[in-house]
Amino acid sequence: MDYKTARNFVMTQATASDQNKGAFMVRIKSQKPPVPGQITNILLALKMIFEGLRDASTLDRELVHSLYLLAYESREQFEAGRRDSVNWPPLLDEDLKRIASAVESIFSGIWQMNDK
């Protein structure tokens, strides 16, 4: 996966759209678990974005918004689902922490996945 593919994938997974009912954020907002392999692909894409932006001094707004949705809004939706007694997959909480850590790494320019 190259940077452009990773960027497009992350943006597709982060934005709610009638055309993409299988997108990660669409599923989480609908209180449905991610499809098998979806988190792994998101994490791989985030790593590729990190690598592609390692020396960048600025980030584009559209990408930042998608990263925000993946890191923050997914957690909010997860917690709302917990309050509604949704039976989330056992590892989803940890997966969301990994996504947030990867996004933080992109923002900081230092890969932090092993630290959390």
Side-chain angles (χ1 to χ4, degrees):
M1 182 180 302
D2 63 3
Y3 171 80
K4 183 178 178 182
T5 303
R7 182 182 184 280
N8 289 338
F9 177 75
V10 162
M11 292 174 65
T12 300
Q13 294 301 307
T15 54
S17 166
D18 291 337
Q19 291 90 3
N20 193 7
K21 295 186 189 304
F24 177 71
M25 286 304 300
V26 172
R27 293 188 62 80
I28 295 294
K29 286 180 179 181
S30 301
Q31 298 186 334
K32 295 177 185 173
V35 296
Q38 197 167 27
I39 298 286
T40 301
N41 289 331
I42 289 170
L43 290 169
L44 175 61
L46 291 172
K47 177 66 171 174
M48 296 311 300
I49 290 170
F50 170 81
E51 293 296 335
L53 295 174
R54 183 185 300 257
D55 297 323
S57 59
T58 61
L59 301 175
D60 71 86
R61 190 176 302 237
E62 191 176 22
L63 175 61
V64 169
H65 183 245
S66 295
L67 295 173
Y68 166 81
L69 292 172
L70 286 177
Y72 180 77
E73 187 64 28
S74 65
R75 171 58 62 184
E76 292 292 306
Q77 294 298 323
F78 175 79
E79 294 301 335
R82 273 188 170 170
R83 289 189 296 275
D84 292 342
S85 301
V86 172
N87 188 19
W88 293 115
L91 296 178
L92 184 56
D93 185 31
E94 289 300 314
D95 288 337
L96 294 177
K97 288 177 186 174
R98 283 190 274 283
I99 288 171
S101 184
V103 169
E104 181 182 356
S105 296
I106 292 167
F107 291 158
S108 72
I110 301 167
W111 192 249
Q112 303 174 31
M113 289 296 289
N114 295 331
D115 297 343
K116 295 182 180 183

